[in-house]
Amino acid sequence: MRARNSFVGAAFALLAAGMGHSALADDIKIGEINSYSLLPSFTEPYRKGWQLAVEEINAAGGINGKKLVVISKDDGGKPADAQTAANELVSSEGVAMLTGTFLSNIGLAVSDFANQKKVFFLAAEPLTDAVTWAKGNKYTFRLRPSNYMQAAMLVEAASKLPAKRWATIAPNYEYGQSAVAVFKKLMSEKRPDIQWVDEQWPPQGKIDAGPVVQAVAQANPEAILNVTFGPDLVKLVREGNTRGLFKGREVVSFLTGEPEYLDPLKEETPEGWIVTGYPWYSIKTPEHDAFLKAYQAKYNDYPRLGSIVGYQTIKAAAAIIAKAGSTDTDKMIAAAEGISMPSPFGEITFRKIDHQSTLGAFVGKTAQKDGKGVMVDTSYKKGSDYLPSDAEVEKLRPKD
Amino acid sequence: MSVAPPLLAVEGLTKSYGGIHAVRGVSFSLRPGEILALIGPNGAGKSTCFDMLNGQNKPDSGHVRLLGEETTGKKPRDIWRMGVGRTFQITATFATMTVRENVQVALISHGRQLFNLWGSAPNVDRNEAGRLLELVGMGGYADRPCGELAYGDLKRLELAVALANDPKLLLMDEPTAGMAPRERVELMRLTAQIAKEKSIGVLFTEHDMDVVFEHADRIIVLNRGTLIAEGSPAEVRGNPQVQAIYLGEGLLYEGGHREGASA
Amino acid sequence: MAFYVVQFLTGLASAASLFLVASGLSIIFGVTRIVNFAHGAFYMIGAYIAFTLTERFSGAFGFWGGVVAAALAVALIGVLVEIVLLRRIYHAPELFQLLGTFGLTLMVEDLVVLIWGPDDLVGRRAPGFKGAVDFFGQNIPSYDLFLIALGPVVLGVLWLLFQRTRWGVLVRAATQDRDMVAALGVNQKWLFTSVFAVGVFLAALGGALQIPRDAVHHAMDLRIIVEVFVVVVIGGLGSIVGAFVAAVLVSELNAFGILIFPKISIILVFLVMAVVLIVRPWGLFGKPEAAARKTPGLSVNPWRPLTLNERLASLAALIIAAMLPLFAGNYALTVGSEIAIFVIFAVSLHFLMSVGGLASFGHAAYFGLGAYGVAFLAKMAGLPMIVCLLLGPLLGCMGAAVFGFFAVQLSGVYFAMLTLAFAQIVWSIAFQWVSVTGGDNGILGVWPEKWAASPSHFYWLALGVAALVTIALRVMVFSPFGYALRATRDSLLRSEAVGINAKRIQWTAFVIAGTTAGIGGALFAYLKGSVFPDNLGISLSVDALVMVLLGGVETVSGGVIGAIVYKALNIWLVSQTDLSKLVLGGFIVLIVVVFPKGIVGMLEILAQRRRKSSPPGSSLLAKPVESAE
C-alpha cells in the first residue's frame, strides 16, 4: 500500500515538474510542438537547443524589450494530438506563433491548422517538400533544408560517381518515398546512363534487415541509396557489414551524418558513405564556435543536429517578431518574407517565394575515428544553391 | 384415408466417428402427448442420438421426421421453429439476464421480433413470460438474475423457455441431472402434466431409473449405438438383456460428462 | 540457387527471434488467458538490461552471461507483476487484464527513456558469432546460424518441459481446461505465476538476443508486440509448435515476398493472418476453443432501462454540458468536442463488446473509414458538410458489413485478431494508396462550413450527435434486438436453441457499431480538418478498448464515462508533461487494481451496497453456476 502511495506521489511530482512554465501578460509567448515522447533521441537535444536560444535572447534584453517565453507541448507523434496542442497554444495560451514539429505529416497537419486559423507557423524539421510547395500556404515557413534540397546536395556528389547500377533502400512512408523519387529524378537528369536495379521498402521502424540486405545484394548494384535512419539504419548497417553488402559499393545516404544517427553506430560505422549531416567537431566558423561554446557550457554535452534546429527555430522566431515589431500575424508574415539572419551555419534567409529558409547542410563521407563514427571531407552546402528556379517553384506552390 | 404421421419418426439413424459406430440404425417414433424415455449406459450413444434429433449433429444416414417433415440436416434454430423445444443436460441459459428476460428472448424469437431495433423489450410478451414462469413454478423469481439461481431452478427455467414457442415436441437431455431427489420428482411431474394438457410429445434421456419408470409412458434402450429394447416401463424392467447390460451396472452417475463437442 | 538458400536461412533467423517471443506469449495466453499486452515491454526491458550487462562485463562470459542474466532478471520482474497486479484481476471481466498490461506498457516506454536515456543504444556483437560464413559466394552471418539453431532448440526444450515434467502436464491441462486444474487441487496461483515467469523469460531472452543485430530503443516493444500476437494466432493459441510454424511461415513469406513486392512487409503478417483465420478459424494448430468460461456471472447485475429520476439526471447532465460554451473558452470547447466524439466511438465499441460480447481489436477501422468517407466526399466531390456528415459514415458501414461478415464467424480472441487484421489491411491501404488517400501525409483542409466552424457551434453539434447516438444505442440495448444480442453473448447454444440466428444478429450488431464509429470519425475529420492513416491505426483501436474497459464492460453506460475520463485525462496529461505515458499508465494500473470492474462498474457496486441494507437472504441459494457455455 505504501508503495502505491509513493508511486502516486512520484507521478504527481513528475506532473508538477512538467508544468513549470509561467508567463506574464506582456511577455511574448511562442508555442512549440514536437514529438517529445515518441522521438526523444532527436527532441532532447532539440529542446536543449531552443532553451539555449531563449536564454540568450532574454539575456540580451528579450524581443523589443519584452521577455520571450516558449510554451512547449508534446504531440506523441500523432497529427491529431498535435492539432489539439496547437489549438491549446493558440486559443488558451494565446501564443504569437507556432513553431516546431518533426514528422512530415504532423508538420502538414499543423500547417493546415495554421492556414485555417490564420496563425503564423514556423516549421522546424519536417522535411517533406509539400510543406512549402504542394501544400504550402501563406502562414507556414520552414527552417530545415527540405527533402529536395538534401537530395540535390547528395546528387551533386553522387552523380560524379562512376556507378551505373543503383539500388535504393528507403522506409515505406512519404519521407522515404519522396526522398527516393527526388533523388532518382535529379540523378537521371544528370546521368541518363544509370539504371535503377532494385528498390526495397521496409516498413519504417520494422525493417527485417537480413532479407532486405540479401535482396539488394542479389540485384548486384554498384551503388546504393539509403534513406533509412534511426534503429532501422543500425540494423541495416549491421546486416550489411556482416554480409558484405557495402564492400566495393558506393553508398549515398540521407541524414546518416547527423550525430543522432551516426553516433549509435560506433565501431559499426561504415567507411566512405556519402551523407548529409552535422559534423559539429569540424566546423570552424566563428558563428558555430560561439554556439558550440555556449551549448557545451550550458549542458556539458555536445550538440546534435536537433540542437541546431531547436536553437535556430527560436532564434528565427525571435528575429521575425523583432523585425515585425509586433505579434500581429500579417506583420510577422511580411517581416518573415525575405528576412535574413545569422545562424550557427552562417547567414540564412527565409525566401519570399516559398517561405523556405536557405539553411544548408553538410555533405561529407563517413569514417571511423577511435571507434566512433564521424564525417570527414565535409563541406557546407548552402540551401540557396540547391533549390529549383523561381519559375519552377511558382508552379509547385498553390497561389495564396 | 391416410394415417396421420407420428409426431416424431426416427428411421435408421446412424453416425460413426472414425470407424466407431456411435449410433447404428436406430428407429423409433413418438406420438403427441407421449412421454418417451431414452436410456442406456454411458457411451451408449444417447447424447449423439439426441444431438442428431435437435440438429447439433448431422447423421451419416437415416431420417428424422417431425409430423412428416424431414429435419435431418437442419440447423437447431430451424428445428426449433418447427416446434421443438429443448433443455440441456448442463443448463444453458442467459446468465446475465433476469429469469423473465430469459423467457422473453424465446418469446421475441418466436414472435419474429429479433431484428426489432426500436421496441421496448421489457414490455414484449411480459405477461406471457410471467404465465410461463408461473406454469413452471418460477413466478416469484421473474426479476432475479438468472446467474443467481439454484440449479434446480435453472432446470425449471429451461423448461419454461422450452415451452415458449408452443412446442409440439420437447427434447430433454437428462432433465433432472444434478437435482435433489425431491426436485427431480417435482420437475418430471410438472413436465408430464404439461405434456398431457397440451398434448406435447416428450423425449428425454435420464439416468435416474426412478424418474424413468415413474414418468415414462414408454422406454427405449440404447446400447453401443443400437436399440436393444423398447416397451412399457414394466416390459423394459423385465427385459433380461436390459437387466444384464444396463441395470446391472447400477445407477452410475455420468460424472464429468459434458455437452457434445459441438457446444 | 545459393541466393535462395541463403534468403531462406535469413528468413529462418528472423523466424527464430520471432518465435522466442511468440512462444512465451502463447504459453501465457494458453494457461492464464491473459492477453498480455506487456509482452513487448518485457522484450524491450530484456534488451535494455542485456545491453547494460553486456557493456559492463567483457568477454564471452560477460556477453552470454549478461544475456541470460537479463532474461532472468526480467522474469523476476514478471513474477512481481503477476503477483502484484495480475493476480488481483484474473477474475475480472474478460480482457480486463489487457487494460492492466496496457497500462504497464505505457509506463515502461517512458521509464526506459528515464533510465537509459533517449539515444538509440547499439550493443556489441556476440563473441564467436561476429562474422559471416561463406556459402557459394553468399554471406550468412554466423549469428543468424546461431539463431536458426536456437529456435528448434528452444522448441525442443519447451516440448520436453511440457511432455516430460509434471509442471508441463499441468500447464497443458490448464491450457485445455482451467477449471479442471483448479478441481485437481493444484495450486493454481503458483502455476500461473510460474507460467507467466517462463513466458516473460522467453520474451526477455528474445529481446536480449537482439543486441548483436538491432539497436536498443524505447519503441522496440510496439515494433514486436502486434507481430507476435499475429504469429501466436496464426499458429493457434496455446500451441508452441503452431507458433514456430507460423513464425517460419511469416518470416519466409516476408523474405521472399520482398523480392517480388518490395512494399509487402507492411501488411504481410496481417494478410496471412486474415487468410488463415478465414480458412482455419482456430489457427493452423489450434483447437476449437473449449467454450471459454464467461465470467460476467460474478456480479450479476441485471441491466435495466433508466428510471425516471435517472433519466432526469442524465438530461440535467446533458443540459449542463450544453451550457459549457457560456463560460468556457475555445480550447476547452474544442477539447469538449473531441471528448464528445470519443464518446461516440467508445459507445459504439461498448455496444459491440458489452452487449454483443465481441471485443474488436480493430474498431478504429470504421472510425477512420467514416473520417476518410467525409474527406473523400468533401475534397473530391465537394459536397456540403451536412451531406458529408450523413454519407461519410456509410463508408464505415460498408467496411463493417464486409469485414464483420467474416469476423463474426469467429469468436473470442480469434474474432479480436481478425478484426485487427482487417483494420491493419484498411490502414495499409490508406497508407500506401498515396494517389487517393495522400498516404501518411493524409488529406488536409477538411474544415467545417461556417455554420459549424465556431468552436461553440461545433461543440454543440458533436455533443448533440453524441447524445443522440448514446440514446439510440441505449434504446437498442433494451430493444428486442438488444435482448437477442445479449442472448448470443451469454449462450450461443441456448440462443440457437430458441431459433436465433446468432451470426446474423452479431453481424447486424457489428454493422451498427461500425456505422456508429463511422459517425464519430466523420465528426473527427471536421474537428481536425484533416484525415490521416492514424485515424485507422492500432493505437486508436487500443484507445477505444481502454475506454470501454476503463468505464466497465459489464455496464450499460461504461463507454460514456470511460471515454470522458480517459480522453480528458489523456489530453490534459499530454499537454502538461512529456511523461504522459508514465502517468497515464500508472493511472490505468491503479484503476485496474482498485476498480477491477471499471469505473462505472465500481459505482454500481457502491450504489448497490447502499441499497442493499436488507439481509441478503437470497445469497444462500445463490451459487454461481458456471455452465459450460
Side-chain angles (χ1 to χ4, degrees):
Chain A
M1 205 51 207
R2 194 180 305 151
R4 195 186 299 156
N5 283 339
S6 66
F7 170 75
V8 174
F12 277 102
L14 287 168
L15 206 59
M19 294 191 283
H21 60 74
S22 58
L24 295 171
D26 56 344
D27 292 342
I28 288 179
K29 288 187 278 187
I30 292 179
E32 193 281 329
I33 302 167
N34 222 315
S35 305
Y36 289 102
S37 56
L38 183 75
L39 303 161
S41 63
F42 174 84
T43 49
E44 286 300 320
Y46 166 88
R47 184 190 343 242
K48 286 178 179 166
W50 67 249
Q51 283 173 341
L52 175 64
V54 171
E55 197 179 277
E56 286 182 8
I57 290 164
N58 285 332
I63 304 173
N64 300 337
K66 289 182 179 172
K67 189 181 162 207
L68 171 65
V69 175
V70 173
I71 303 171
S72 169
K73 299 284 174 194
D74 178 27
D75 61 36
K78 295 176 190 158
D81 288 1
Q83 287 200 335
T84 307
N87 200 341
E88 182 183 9
L89 290 168
V90 172
S91 310
S92 190
E93 304 280 5
V95 299
M97 66 160 75
L98 294 170
T99 61
T101 74
F102 179 95
L103 298 170
S104 290
N105 55 6
I106 292 181
L108 286 170
V110 175
S111 154
D112 194 42
F113 173 88
N115 191 31
Q116 174 72 10
K117 308 280 178 187
K118 306 194 183 342
V119 182
F120 190 103
F121 172 44
L122 174 55
E125 167 85 13
L127 294 177
T128 180
D129 295 331
V131 169
T132 48
W133 294 346
K135 289 174 184 165
N137 62 53
K138 182 181 158 191
Y139 299 93
T140 303
F141 292 75
R142 173 176 45 203
L143 177 68
R144 268 205 80 176
S146 66
N147 241 333
Y148 180 94
M149 294 157 78
Q150 304 210 24
M153 292 169 195
L154 287 172
V155 162
E156 188 183 46
S159 60
K160 291 176 191 148
L161 299 170
K164 285 185 186 163
R165 293 169 57 84
W166 281 75
T168 65
I169 307 172
N172 187 7
Y173 74 110
E174 199 267 356
Y175 165 63
Q177 288 155 5
S178 65
V180 168
V182 176
F183 185 87
K184 273 187 173 179
K185 177 173 166 281
L186 296 178
M187 268 303 264
S188 298
E189 277 168 18
K190 288 201 176 178
R191 289 280 302 274
D193 58 326
I194 60 175
Q195 267 181 293
W196 303 96
V197 296
D198 190 32
E199 52 184 46
Q200 285 300 322
W201 299 98
Q204 163 67 358
K206 288 187 180 169
I207 191 172
D208 194 359
V212 168
V213 164
Q214 210 59 37
V216 171
Q218 177 66 8
N220 197 22
E222 292 162 299
I224 297 166
L225 171 70
N226 166 60
V227 194
T228 66
F229 58 95
D232 283 347
L233 175 71
V234 172
K235 284 186 96 167
L236 181 73
V237 167
R238 292 186 119 171
E239 284 289 339
N241 283 346
T242 320
R243 292 173 190 258
L245 174 67
F246 308 129
K247 231 178 270 166
R249 294 196 172 99
E250 302 286 354
V251 179
V252 174
S253 187
F254 278 74
L255 311 184
T256 307
E258 296 176 8
E260 286 89 332
Y261 309 126
L262 191 57
D263 292 358
L265 290 172
K266 293 188 284 193
E267 59 264 40
E268 303 270 359
T269 309
E271 292 274 346
W273 285 21
I274 298 171
V275 297
T276 57
Y278 172 42
W280 59 273
Y281 31 80
S282 61
I283 304 172
K284 303 289 177 228
T285 63
E287 300 96 320
H288 188 263
D289 280 346
F291 166 78
L292 183 62
K293 206 182 268 173
Y295 191 91
Q296 286 182 318
K298 184 166 163 67
Y299 299 112
N300 193 27
D301 192 6
Y302 64 91
R304 279 49 161 202
L305 186 65
S307 315
I308 293 280
V309 173
Y311 179 81
Q312 192 57 35
T313 297
I314 294 305
K315 284 280 179 149
I320 290 165
I321 296 171
K323 184 179 166 198
S326 153
T327 53
D328 175 76
T329 301
D330 285 328
K331 286 186 184 153
M332 288 193 295
I333 294 171
E337 290 184 334
I339 192 175
S340 290
M341 64 187 75
S343 84
F345 291 178
E347 188 170 87
I348 62 167
T349 304
F350 280 89
R351 290 154 39 112
K352 184 173 183 342
I353 188 168
D354 60 359
H355 294 185
Q356 171 68 46
S357 100
T358 59
L359 184 76
F362 288 83
V363 174
K365 289 194 166 183
T366 55
Q368 260 188 61
K369 202 178 147 194
D370 309 326
K372 278 188 195 145
V374 289
M375 273 174 83
V376 295
D377 305 335
T378 59
S379 61
Y380 179 66
K381 307 288 178 189
K382 273 193 204 156
S384 46
D385 298 341
Y386 298 89
L387 281 154
S389 73
D390 287 1
E392 267 178 82
V393 171
E394 295 270 11
K395 268 186 270 167
L396 290 168
R397 196 172 152 89
K399 295 285 159 281
D400 287 339
Chain B
M1 266 299 285
S2 67
V3 181
L7 177 57
L8 177 71
V10 176
E11 279 170 32
L13 215 51
T14 300
K15 178 86 190 175
S16 56
Y17 297 105
I20 296 162
H21 286 280
V23 173
R24 188 168 15 178
V26 170
S27 304
F28 61 88
S29 66
L30 178 65
R31 295 187 311 276
E34 185 185 29
I35 299 178
L36 176 64
L38 171 63
I39 66 170
N42 280 334
K46 301 192 298 291
S47 284
T48 310
C49 207
F50 233 76
D51 286 348
M52 287 188 285
L53 295 185
N54 62 40
Q56 301 271 146
N57 209 334
K58 236 171 132 175
D60 296 340
S61 63
H63 298 278
V64 180
R65 292 194 183 87
L66 190 74
L67 288 175
E69 198 180 334
E70 186 78 42
T71 72
T72 32
K74 288 198 161 139
K75 296 198 170 72
R77 59 171 182 269
D78 298 326
I79 292 175
W80 181 83
R81 293 235 175 258
M82 295 169 70
V84 179
R86 67 168 301 192
T87 67
F88 294 93
Q89 183 183 350
I90 295 170
T91 55
T93 53
F94 309 127
T96 68
M97 303 175 83
T98 66
V99 169
R100 190 199 324 273
E101 286 165 352
N102 265 267
V103 182
Q104 278 176 316
V105 168
L107 290 168
I108 284 167
S109 177
H110 186 49
R112 299 197 176 265
Q113 292 289 303
L114 288 171
F115 289 89
N116 177 348
L117 297 170
W118 217 245
S120 164
N123 298 323
V124 171
D125 296 324
R126 194 178 174 86
N127 297 334
E128 175 66 8
R131 199 185 58 75
L132 284 166
L133 288 172
E134 288 293 342
L135 192 64
V136 299
M138 293 283 291
Y141 293 80
D143 292 314
R144 290 275 292 278
C146 178
E148 277 181 10
L149 292 185
Y151 199 61
D153 292 338
L154 281 175
K155 289 274 187 184
R156 287 195 286 165
L157 171 59
E158 274 210 314
L159 181 59
V161 169
L163 291 170
N165 63 336
D166 267 332
K168 304 179 191 96
L169 172 67
L170 272 182
L171 297 176
M172 303 175 83
D173 198 357
E174 305 215 9
T176 70
M179 293 173 89
R182 201 170 54 85
E183 287 181 320
R184 296 179 183 210
V185 175
E186 263 175 37
L187 183 76
M188 284 317 292
R189 193 170 292 153
L190 182 67
T191 309
Q193 190 192 335
I194 295 169
K196 298 297 171 200
E197 269 172 24
K198 304 195 166 190
S199 219
I200 299 172
V202 178
L203 174 69
F204 74 107
T205 65
E206 185 54 66
H207 269 94
D208 184 335
M209 288 306 127
D210 293 341
V211 171
V212 171
F213 290 123
E214 189 180 336
H215 295 285
D217 296 329
R218 206 152 53 88
I219 299 173
I220 52 180
V221 186
L222 267 185
N223 187 38
R224 297 188 183 177
T226 45
L227 206 59
I228 57 160
E230 178 177 1
S232 70
E235 286 164 0
V236 168
R237 207 194 294 260
N239 184 318
Q241 202 184 351
V242 175
Q243 282 177 352
I245 63 122
Y246 185 72
L247 299 178
E249 286 183 4
L251 305 177
L252 282 175
Y253 173 67
E254 274 186 317
H257 191 111
R258 296 219 141 198
E259 279 175 29
S262 50
Chain C
M1 191 59 215
F3 165 69
Y4 291 105
V5 173
V6 170
Q7 192 73 346
F8 180 76
L9 291 176
T10 306
L12 279 186
S14 309
S17 308
L18 207 50
F19 166 67
L20 274 189
V21 189
S23 62
L25 188 68
S26 189
I27 296 169
I28 292 176
F29 183 87
V31 176
T32 66
R33 284 292 182 277
I34 283 189
V35 179
N36 181 20
F37 201 89
H39 208 65
F42 291 120
Y43 164 86
M44 176 166 69
I45 304 175
Y48 267 108
I49 295 182
F51 173 82
T52 301
L53 294 177
T54 53
E55 292 294 296
R56 180 88 203 272
F57 302 102
S58 57
F61 182 76
F63 182 88
W64 297 110
V67 165
V68 174
L72 286 172
V74 180
L76 212 63
I77 297 173
V79 167
L80 218 68
V81 166
E82 203 273 345
I83 292 175
V84 175
L85 175 64
L86 297 178
R87 252 186 210 185
R88 295 163 185 263
I89 52 173
Y90 279 123
H91 290 291
E94 242 182 317
L95 287 180
F96 205 68
Q97 301 90 355
L98 171 79
L99 188 59
T101 51
F102 172 71
L104 271 183
T105 304
L106 285 182
M107 294 176 73
V108 168
E109 278 178 23
D110 273 354
L111 283 173
V112 293
V113 176
L114 286 178
I115 297 171
W116 280 279
D119 293 328
D120 299 340
L121 305 172
V122 178
R124 60 190 173 112
R125 294 204 173 206
F129 297 95
K130 286 184 177 163
V133 175
D134 188 7
F135 181 85
F136 296 103
Q138 307 265 342
N139 287 313
I140 310 170
S142 48
Y143 194 69
D144 275 20
L145 295 175
F146 165 74
L147 288 177
I148 292 169
L150 185 69
V153 166
V154 169
L155 179 64
V157 168
L158 287 175
W159 189 85
L160 285 177
L161 203 60
F162 287 134
Q163 302 294 329
R164 296 277 183 267
T165 68
R166 180 177 143 73
W167 180 82
V169 172
L170 289 174
V171 168
R172 277 189 301 139
T175 306
Q176 266 154 30
D177 189 341
R178 283 193 297 172
D179 304 343
M180 201 175 79
V181 177
L184 287 175
V186 174
N187 188 335
Q188 205 178 347
K189 269 188 183 172
W190 289 104
L191 184 68
F192 278 25
T193 308
S194 59
V195 162
F196 199 78
V198 170
V200 170
F201 175 84
L202 289 168
L205 187 65
L209 287 169
Q210 293 307 306
I211 295 259
R213 30 192 263 145
D214 202 347
V216 183
H217 59 104
H218 75 121
M220 286 178 87
D221 59 337
L222 291 185
R223 238 174 44 172
I224 194 144
I225 182 68
V226 177
E227 204 146 318
V228 169
F229 259 112
V230 170
V231 163
V232 169
V233 166
I234 291 175
L237 290 166
S239 165
I240 307 292
V241 176
F244 186 80
V245 172
V248 171
L249 181 73
V250 164
S251 301
E252 293 298 350
L253 281 175
N254 185 53
F256 288 96
I258 59 168
L259 300 176
I260 307 159
F261 307 106
K263 289 185 176 172
I264 191 82
S265 306
I266 202 162
I267 194 56
L268 185 92
V269 289
F270 298 101
L271 275 180
V272 174
M273 177 164 77
V275 171
V276 166
L277 285 185
I278 289 172
V279 179
R280 285 189 62 93
W282 298 283
L284 294 175
F285 288 76
K287 295 191 190 90
E289 246 175 318
R293 184 179 56 135
K294 297 236 165 120
T295 28
L298 287 174
S299 84
V300 191
N301 201 4
W303 291 356
R304 52 177 178 74
L306 295 179
T307 62
L308 186 61
N309 281 345
E310 286 164 336
R311 276 176 206 197
L312 289 176
S314 312
L315 189 64
L318 183 63
I319 289 171
I320 291 171
M323 290 190 328
L324 190 67
L326 299 182
F327 46 86
N330 284 349
Y331 172 64
L333 290 176
T334 312
V335 169
S337 305
E338 188 159 347
I339 291 174
I341 289 167
F342 275 88
V343 165
I344 298 172
F345 186 32
V347 293
S348 73
L349 179 63
H350 189 272
F351 182 75
L352 196 60
M353 247 174 108
S354 291
V355 189
L358 299 165
S360 166
F361 282 12
H363 205 52
Y366 314 103
F367 183 85
L369 280 174
Y372 272 98
V374 158
F376 293 150
L377 292 171
K379 295 300 285 184
M380 290 176 192
L383 293 177
M385 176 173 170
I386 198 82
V387 179
C388 294
L389 278 179
L390 288 172
L391 298 183
L394 288 183
L395 197 59
C397 175
M398 290 188 304
V402 174
F403 297 138
F405 175 81
F406 294 101
V408 298
Q409 309 302 323
L410 313 182
S411 60
V413 174
Y414 293 100
F415 169 87
M417 293 306 282
L418 188 57
T419 54
L420 173 73
F422 286 140
Q424 280 305 96
I425 289 167
V426 176
W427 173 84
S428 70
I429 291 170
F431 198 88
Q432 289 284 308
W433 200 5
V434 178
S435 60
V436 173
T437 62
D440 52 315
N441 279 354
I443 300 174
L444 303 175
V446 193
W447 294 99
E449 284 165 16
K450 254 199 195 108
W451 61 271
S454 85
S456 56
H457 288 184
F458 196 87
Y459 172 73
W460 279 322
L461 175 69
L463 183 69
V465 176
L468 280 180
V469 160
T470 308
I471 293 168
L473 287 180
R474 243 199 113 96
V475 166
M476 278 183 217
V477 172
F478 294 104
S479 73
F481 173 78
Y483 273 32
L485 184 59
R486 283 163 68 190
T488 62
R489 174 199 66 190
D490 279 7
S491 170
L492 267 183
L493 187 65
R494 172 45 77 189
S495 26
E496 287 280 334
V498 292
I500 297 175
N501 186 339
K503 296 296 167 209
R504 198 180 292 172
I505 293 279
Q506 291 176 336
W507 187 27
T508 309
F510 198 96
V511 174
I512 291 171
T515 312
T516 311
I519 294 172
L523 283 168
F524 195 67
Y526 276 116
L527 175 72
K528 297 291 175 186
S530 50
V531 179
F532 293 96
D534 268 28
N535 303 143
L536 305 147
I538 290 179
S539 77
L540 199 62
S541 290
V542 172
D543 278 354
L545 273 174
V546 169
M547 288 183 237
V548 171
L549 293 168
L550 202 58
V553 79
E554 286 176 353
T555 63
V556 190
S557 49
V560 177
I561 304 296
I564 294 172
V565 170
Y566 180 74
K567 200 64 206 175
L569 196 68
N570 195 352
I571 292 174
W572 185 69
L573 284 174
V574 167
S575 159
Q576 295 304 326
T577 166
D578 295 345
L579 298 172
S580 58
K581 282 187 282 188
L582 180 60
V583 183
L584 190 63
F587 172 77
I588 290 173
V589 169
L590 202 71
I591 287 273
V592 164
V593 173
V594 182
F595 301 156
K597 297 201 175 300
I599 297 170
V600 177
M602 194 62 198
L603 293 177
E604 278 180 0
I605 289 173
L606 289 179
Q608 222 178 2
R609 263 186 214 156
R610 211 172 304 149
R611 227 176 292 139
K612 266 194 185 167
S613 36
S614 54
S618 56
S619 66
L620 286 177
L621 277 165
K623 263 191 204 153
V625 177
E626 284 174 8
S627 56
E629 250 308 291

